Every structure is written in C-alpha cells, then in structure tokens.
Amino acid sequence: MVFRFVCYLVVVWLISASDESCPEVPAVENGIIVIEETEGQILGTCVCIKGYHLVGEKTFVCNASTEWNAPVPTCRPGHCPDPVLVNGEPSSLDPVSVSDKITFKCNEHYILKGSSWSQCLANHTWMPPLPVCKSRDCGPPGNPAHGYFEGKDFNSGSTITYHCEDRYHLVGTRDQQCIDGEWSSALPVCELIQEAPKPTPQTEFEKALFAFQENKELCKAIENFVQRLKENGLTMEELKYSLEIKKVELEAKMLS
C-alpha cells in the first residue's frame, strides 16, 4: 500500500528549475512520470507499476508554445489492455496478469475472424492479436466492366448471377453465393468476343477454283464452279479482277 501511494505522487523532473517553462504534469495514479530534457525538447515518459497497463501515449513532449502535445496517460488495472470485441465478448472482463489466457465468442449472425484465444504477454500486449467479429451477411458485390449481376439479397446463403453485355463473354464463375460474409468466388470479367475476319473475295475465288481439281469431268467442274460463285455472291467480273491481281503478285515474286 505504501508503494502505491508513493507512485501516485511521484513526478520526477530531471531538468533545472530555470528550464521549467511547461505546465506542471499531474501525478498519475499507479504510475510514475519522468520529465527530462533531451535534444532540446522537454520529454515526459509514463510507466505503470506492475499489475497495471498504460492507456494513452507513453511519451509526450512540451512544444514551442509551452504546452504538452498529448494528454497525460492513465494506468488501469490489468497487465494488458482490456480485450474489446465488437459484436462479441471475451471469456473474462476482469483485470488480467501476465500469462493469463482468454477466449472469444461472437454474437449471433457474426463469425469470428482470427484466433479464438489470446494470451497476455510480459510486454503488455495480447498474442495472438485480438480477433474481430464479422457479419455473416455480404456487402453488395462489385460489377465487372461491361457486365452486371442479378440479385437483390446479399444475406448469408443468398446467390447472385453475373451477365455480360452484348459482344462480351463471361470469364469466371457466373453464380456466386454469400458464405460467412464473403462471396464464394472472385469477381468475373467480361471479355470482348473477337470476331472472325471476313474472307476476302480472292479467297472465295480460290475455293471456287478447287472445283476443277475435285472433278475430272470438265462440264461437272464448271457447273460446281458456277454454283460456288453464286453461293458466295460473286460475279465473273470480280473473278477476272481477282485473277489479274494474282497475276501481278506472281510476276512481282518472280522479279524479286
């Protein structure tokens, strides 16, 4: 009891009275504050006694306007900070000592993300880090470029379906489900459908000319040739023009 009383009153100034231009620091219950001058600044440091943990900034500085840059911290019961779990609760809310372990449980409709337990270490920290409680429902999903989804329910277990605009096809998972606060698959993408190049008249003429190679009978070959021209909407004039181009190309190759 005597030690706690002394620690409650102690504020140690390690600078001369003539240098004291900052406001007096109030004593911290269950802690010690040391004021010293370092590198031209007046620095305050707070240390809590065993069985208490620091709440606030451990160090604070007196700035040029002769004011402390942060409020004086406090020392609260327990070696580690109080375990706070939003939308859940730890197994104990009592002050803890070094090596104490606690477990965590989330409220209904929430799922635990992280470790289900943690231990208070000698350096006043929890390890593993404190977990969080995340809603089992999902937020609105994203839309891929040139795509959209169908579905208005984003609750746990609900399903949405992705579609792409015209001239685009879907790459990825079309149907996705909300499972424990996350969508079951990554966002798909909509890729542009590459159109096949249209055949040139010259290519169609070459296909039509195959009729003469496929049939030994001249009349039958001519009949098939004319039929293929009609199927492709080609004329004899266009054939003549195509053959002239082919002739020029062959002559150019022979001269090169």
Side-chain angles (χ1 to χ4, degrees):
M1 294 299 295
V2 174
F3 180 73
R4 290 187 57 188
F5 178 74
V6 173
C7 286
Y8 175 71
L9 295 178
V10 169
V11 177
V12 182
W13 289 79
L14 301 181
I15 58 177
S16 63
S18 59
D19 293 330
E20 295 179 13
S21 57
C22 296
E24 183 178 355
V25 180
V28 175
E29 186 175 4
N30 302 308
I32 301 175
I33 294 181
V34 177
I35 307 296
E36 59 183 330
E37 185 174 2
T38 174
E39 298 181 357
Q41 289 184 320
I42 300 178
L43 178 69
T45 303
C46 181
V47 179
C48 296
I49 65 174
K50 186 176 180 180
Y52 291 82
H53 65 272
L54 190 74
V55 178
E57 297 293 333
K58 180 178 181 179
T59 60
F60 42 98
V61 179
C62 185
N63 56 33
S65 61
T66 66
E67 294 181 354
W68 297 105
N69 68 337
V72 176
T74 59
C75 294
R76 297 185 59 180
H79 186 79
C80 285
D82 298 336
V84 177
L85 187 64
V86 180
N87 298 315
E89 59 182 15
S91 57
S92 175
L93 294 176
D94 296 330
V96 296
S97 302
V98 181
S99 300
D100 283 356
K101 288 184 179 180
I102 56 175
T103 57
F104 304 95
K105 181 179 68 174
C106 292
N107 298 338
E108 190 176 3
H109 302 304
Y110 288 86
I111 185 171
L112 193 74
K113 295 291 184 179
S115 175
S116 62
W117 65 274
S118 191
Q119 185 176 28
C120 179
L121 303 184
N123 62 355
H124 302 276
T125 61
W126 291 101
M127 187 58 64
L130 302 182
V132 296
C133 290
K134 186 177 180 181
S135 174
R136 291 184 180 272
D137 298 333
C138 293
N143 269 333
H146 304 290
Y148 59 94
F149 67 85
E150 290 182 344
K152 297 180 180 179
D153 184 4
F154 307 143
N155 296 330
S156 180
S158 62
T159 302
I160 60 172
T161 303
Y162 280 99
H163 302 276
C164 291
E165 299 172 356
D166 294 340
R167 298 176 55 243
Y168 290 85
H169 69 98
L170 192 79
V171 177
T173 306
R174 182 176 298 275
D175 296 318
Q176 299 196 21
Q177 187 177 25
C178 176
I179 302 175
D180 290 337
E182 297 180 357
W183 294 106
S184 56
S185 300
L187 185 70
V189 296
C190 292
E191 291 186 352
L192 181 66
I193 299 175
Q194 300 294 331
E195 297 182 358
K198 295 182 179 179
T200 62
Q202 184 174 349
T203 302
E204 295 301 327
F205 282 130
E206 291 173 351
K207 291 181 180 179
L209 289 172
F210 286 147
F212 291 98
Q213 298 179 2
E214 296 170 353
N215 295 278
K216 294 182 179 180
E217 298 181 10
L218 181 60
C219 292
K220 186 65 175 178
I222 294 174
E223 182 181 346
N224 290 342
F225 173 70
V226 174
Q227 180 64 29
R228 293 181 184 183
L229 289 180
K230 290 181 179 180
E231 290 175 355
N232 292 281
L234 303 174
T235 65
M236 294 301 294
E237 287 296 325
E238 291 173 330
L239 173 60
K240 179 181 177 182
Y241 178 73
S242 176
L243 292 175
E244 289 176 352
I245 293 177
K246 194 71 174 177
K247 179 182 178 182
V248 172
E249 290 178 349
L250 291 174
E251 291 176 348
K253 288 182 178 180
M254 294 177 63
L255 295 175
S256 61

